Amino acid sequence: MPRDLVKGLTALLAAAAAPLAVCALLLPARGTMSETNVVLILMLVVAAVASFRNRGAAVLTALSAAASYVFFFTTPYASFTRFNNVDDIITAGLLLVVGLAVSQLARRYSRERTIATTLQRSLLPHELPDTSAVRAAHRYVPAEAEVGGDWFDVIPLPGFRTALVVGDVVGHGLHSAVTMGRLRTAVLNFSTLDIPPDELLARLDEVVIQMDAEAACEDEIVAATCLYAIYDPVSRSCTMARAGHFPPGIVYPDGRGEILDLPAGPPLGIGGLLFEAVERPLPEGTQLVLYTDGLIEGRHRDVGAGLKLLRDTLSSAGADPEEMCETILKAVLPARPVDDVALLVARTRAFPRDRIAEWDIPTSPEAVPAVRAEVYAKLADWNLEDETTFTTKLILSELVTNAIRYGTPPVHLRLLRETNLVMEVSDGSSTTPHLRYAAATDEGGRGIFLVAQFAERWGTRFTPAGKTVWAEQAAPPVSVAPILASVA
């Protein structure tokens, strides 16, 4: 017999036997208990079975409760054939009706919870990307009651950087799950703009305000918290900003753990207030721990005690993100979480120095040929002179020439070689290159168009000192022969 069928039949038999067992236990006190007390006790039994969200078991429990009450506690105790007391029969009928109503409510609640849970899980990432910047692991623990709006994400960014996101929508239920999906999509879209964390949270704040204004009813208040961080494996630094969210935990390579003192910022949906980003250098192998409030809050534990417990746990956790997640959940997670828990642990990596090449470029067009020759020599060093010479020559000439002609000193060129070849040209101007479609009679205006055609991706990233125009093109895998030779 199939295992699921056995479990189902066992549940139905247990549901039918529960009221019968309760009545048998109450039988010695039959003469002293009022009918109201008996009915209330049986109703509690029906409600308890209905809480397991099995409609068949709930209906069977209601029928069994009504039959058991008639047999044990009504006037025709000796037989079902003699009904001398109308009140007893009415009471048994009411017990049956209430039991069926409870089972129907349990079915509706179960259906709504199933829909919300399915929607929420479909909107969360199923697998995290293994990027050049971090190695990440995650855990998601749903609450015992209604589902919430917790979410997390790992987003690859240009220049081999990675964004780490954790957020929490205020409230529970289907509305919170839908709101979570919309906010996660908004974060993914804003991340393509490659903007700093504080600016991204400001734009997300406007989205939440607009969603709150469009809410279907006044009771559906839209509010959320969020923590957004960008880790750069080249500079080995992390820029973070939070909107009313709890600060991240940090575990250094030597095992020290701390909760980062990060400016809180207002929750999303308040409007009119500023978010502050903080840049923090992180050694290679540092682990970032991002979480939602369900991890540290509980029925019998306040936030301060939860944060202290988390901080103490960080120092004793392992160096592997998966192991770190398991250790944190075992030590910090409340026994019965009242809210969803999203946990994201990311171990930082450092970009190899031998795959980085940089040049300071004089602001003169005559300097371009010399820089081009040095770039070709570096490509030959990386065994890329055949595959990418023509494309790199075109992109290099256009980006460097545009920076010299239209930008502001200083002009800086950087090449990054990994799974792709990334070229970054920085200058002190905040003017954004514009993709134009030049007419046949135009003498110029085709440079960025050609870059967009030959590069796999390109874009502009603004920095405190100006801007960086980048272009990414495919490159063959890095050869492991030199590495094996050095090891031997």
Side-chain angles (χ1 to χ4, degrees), residues 6 27 116 347 456:
V6 173
L27 188 58
R347 189 172 189 268
E456 288 191 346

Side-chain angles (χ1 to χ4, degrees), residues 63-404:
L63 292 171
S64 176
S68 300
Y69 172 78
V70 170
F71 183 78
F72 284 103
F73 292 96
T74 59
T75 301
Y77 171 66
S79 171
F80 281 102
T81 59
R82 301 195 306 273
F83 291 96
N84 300 324
N85 192 328
V86 178
D87 293 338
D88 292 339
I89 300 174
I90 293 176
T91 302
L94 290 176
L95 177 60
L96 176 61
V97 171
V98 171
L100 294 176
V102 170
S103 68
Q104 181 65 17
L105 291 175
R107 181 196 178 198
R108 291 183 58 185
Y109 172 79
S110 176
R111 182 174 57 188
E112 292 177 1
R113 177 179 170 81
T114 301
I115 293 173
T117 303
T118 303
L119 175 63
Q120 184 189 46
R121 291 192 177 278
S122 67
L123 295 174
L124 290 173
H126 300 287
E127 293 184 2
L128 299 182
D130 189 13
T131 69
S132 303
V134 298
R135 179 169 175 260
H138 72 281
R139 294 293 186 274
Y140 178 80
V141 181
E144 289 188 346
E146 292 184 290
V147 295
D150 296 17
W151 87 92
F152 58 91
D153 232 325
V154 175
I155 308 172
L157 297 177
F160 303 108
R161 296 167 303 130
T162 297
L164 306 171
V165 192
V166 165
D168 184 7
V169 176
V170 176
H172 297 85
L174 187 60
H175 173 69
S176 296
V178 172
T179 303
M180 176 271 290
R182 296 176 65 183
L183 291 183
R184 180 175 178 245
T185 302
V187 171
L188 289 171
N189 290 335
F190 288 146
S191 67
T192 61
L193 302 176
D194 207 357
I195 54 182
D198 52 341
E199 185 177 341
L200 184 141
L201 291 180
R203 298 196 179 198
L204 192 62
D205 184 47
E206 296 176 358
V207 172
V208 174
I209 293 174
Q210 182 65 28
M211 292 171 61
D212 187 53
E214 296 174 352
C217 63
E218 296 181 357
D219 295 336
E220 294 181 355
I221 299 175
V222 180
T225 65
C226 184
L227 171 62
Y228 188 85
I230 297 177
Y231 175 70
D232 187 345
V234 179
S235 64
R236 304 181 186 183
S237 63
C238 186
T239 306
M240 298 167 276
R242 61 183 178 125
H245 205 83
F246 286 100
I250 296 181
V251 183
Y252 295 98
D254 59 5
R256 292 182 299 112
E258 67 169 333
I259 302 296
L260 184 63
D261 185 15
L262 187 66
L268 299 173
I270 301 297
L273 300 176
L274 298 178
F275 302 96
E276 184 177 351
V278 172
E279 185 174 357
R280 185 78 173 262
L282 298 179
E284 182 181 7
T286 301
Q287 297 199 79
L288 285 166
V289 180
L290 284 64
Y291 53 93
T292 54
D293 57 355
L295 178 66
I296 58 176
E297 286 184 315
R299 291 184 177 92
H300 308 292
R301 185 176 68 195
D302 59 18
V303 175
L307 282 174
K308 183 179 183 302
L309 180 59
L310 175 60
R311 184 176 62 250
D312 296 340
T313 304
L314 294 178
S315 301
S316 60
D320 181 73
E322 293 287 345
E323 182 182 347
M324 174 76 76
C325 286
E326 291 297 328
T327 302
I328 291 176
L329 288 183
K330 290 180 180 178
V332 185
L333 182 67
R336 301 180 63 185
V338 297
D339 197 1
D340 291 13
V341 176
L343 176 63
L344 179 63
V345 177
R347 189 172 189 268
T348 63
R349 294 168 171 166
F351 202 85
R353 293 298 179 187
D354 60 349
R355 300 183 196 172
I356 305 173
E358 299 182 89
W359 295 269
D360 290 321
I361 302 177
T363 55
S364 171
E366 290 77 13
V368 176
V371 173
R372 188 184 300 128
E374 293 184 23
V375 170
Y376 293 166
K378 177 54 69 174
L379 293 180
D381 227 11
W382 288 340
N383 299 318
L384 297 178
E385 68 275 14
D386 296 329
E387 293 86 350
T388 61
T389 298
F390 174 76
T391 305
T392 303
K393 176 181 178 181
L394 187 148
I395 296 175
L396 173 68
S397 299
E398 293 299 335
L399 295 186
V400 172
T401 303
N402 281 350
I404 294 175

